[in-house]
Amino acid sequence: MSRPLPGGRDCPGLRVNEDTFNIQIKDASGQFHSFAKADLKELRRLRDETPMPSYEGSLSAVELDDLVAYLAGLKGTL
């Protein structure tokens, strides 16, 4: 478990685990940071933002249907 960042700096990253009292963040370098929510000055959740790039316009409707059918066909094979 890591300690809060020195100087009250922000810790942007992906929320990987959260419960009522604690939150765990994975930063861009892959390091995990755990915080007690009671110790945080602010906790912001950015809605409508994602690290996943958009593939909109990259696949046609038929290609998307084919991809979904393929992935659905893998169910139970892994």
Side-chain angles (χ1 to χ4, degrees):
M1 186 191 287
S2 63
R3 302 212 179 270
L5 299 175
R9 294 180 306 168
D10 287 348
C11 182
L14 299 174
R15 178 182 47 187
V16 293
N17 194 11
E18 182 177 7
D19 62 25
T20 304
F21 304 103
N22 301 291
I23 187 166
Q24 187 177 35
I25 303 293
K26 182 178 179 183
D27 68 20
S29 70
Q31 185 175 1
F32 289 87
H33 303 271
S34 296
F35 303 99
K37 289 182 178 179
D39 295 338
L40 298 177
K41 179 180 177 183
E42 180 181 19
L43 177 61
R44 288 183 287 148
R45 291 179 179 86
L46 303 177
R47 303 278 185 220
D48 301 323
E49 290 190 28
T50 176
M52 179 74 171
S54 172
Y55 289 95
E56 185 177 13
S58 298
L59 299 174
S60 69
V62 171
E63 291 170 323
L64 184 58
D65 287 344
D66 289 345
L67 177 60
V68 170
Y70 170 75
L71 293 173
L74 293 176
K75 184 177 180 182
T77 62
L78 299 177

